Amino acid sequence: MGSPRYFYNVAGKMIPWFAISFLLTLIAGIYYGLFVAPPDYQQGESYRIMYIHVPAAWMSMFIYIVMAVAGLISLVWRIKITEITIISSASVGASFTFLALVTGSLWGKPMWGTWWVWDARLTSELLLLFLYLGIIALYSAIEDKRVAARAISILALVGVVNIPIIHYSVEWWNTLHQTSSVTMTGKQAMSTSMLIPLLLMGISFKLYYGAVVLMRARAEVLERDRNTRWVRELVEGEMK
Amino acid sequence: MSEFLDMGGYAMYVWPSYGLAFVILVANWVSPLLQRRRVLTDIARKLRREKREQK
């Protein structure tokens, strides 16, 4: 199963399904979020930024956890595909972290009266962005890609301690950022009409990540296996 | 329509958020496609050069 060629073909077949389901959930999520969900009694329409900010923040943590797990597997079993998963996730993870920070700031200005504050939640999320950028820089700095993969695996694992800190920062410290209002267990603090678009957007961003990480991984596999016979045959097939 | 676009006076905060999300989603979608095409053309060029050298 682990052979790059097998992965390249299987991933190729899966990407369209991820893409279609991503688009459908995105359109439904944005339609519900902007047109159906009622305005908030305190924040009015500005809370609609939540439908981008919260899913992006979820993704920034989810993707880093995937990278840390892939890092552990790569360090222990040195499987090529998991190494490729780490670097293929890094830029989309960094993008979602950046998106979460900027949309949070755009939401904070009207609601808190400031673009930025050195709050435990905001600061730990900013640290997460630097971790992502560090992983991208480290990977491109090392010539031998197998060695580079080991290096980013270690960095991803070292940095994973930051994820619970981000998640629980609002409970542990007295933060300006609100505590979590979506729980997997117990009664929801949010009305369902507001919760549905949020969950739709959450699902759609995960499906988006599925498609993008596979697309990046395919490009990485081609680059790594550029001298192998199966890649030559593939290219010759496309050259005709 | 304009009332909708106004977003209750928060248009300046809501629309840039959705706009940036759109830009990021498109950029991260296009970039692996370009990367894959670049790798394929590099390999194709190398193969053509090897074929010429063998003649």
Side-chain angles (χ1 to χ4, degrees), chain A residues 8 19 35 43 45-46 48-49 51 92 95 102 106 208 212 215-216 220 226-227 231-232 235 238, chain B residues 4 7 10 13 17-18 20-21 24-25 28-29 31-32 35-36 39-40 42-44 46-47 50-51:
Chain A
Y8 184 87
F35 297 99
Q43 302 192 21
E45 306 290 347
S46 69
R48 295 186 194 280
I49 296 175
Y51 295 123
V92 63
S95 302
V102 171
L106 280 167
Y208 174 82
V212 164
M215 283 156 60
R216 265 209 187 281
E220 280 289 324
R226 59 192 307 137
N227 299 319
V231 171
R232 279 177 192 275
V235 173
E238 292 207 2
Chain B
F4 165 72
M7 273 289 146
Y10 294 111
Y13 304 107
S17 301
Y18 280 78
L20 180 64
I24 282 182
L25 289 176
N28 276 283
W29 189 274
S31 135
Q35 181 189 358
R36 182 170 166 272
V39 169
L40 285 176
D42 282 357
I43 298 170
K46 194 163 67 87
L47 288 180
E50 274 164 16
K51 280 201 173 58

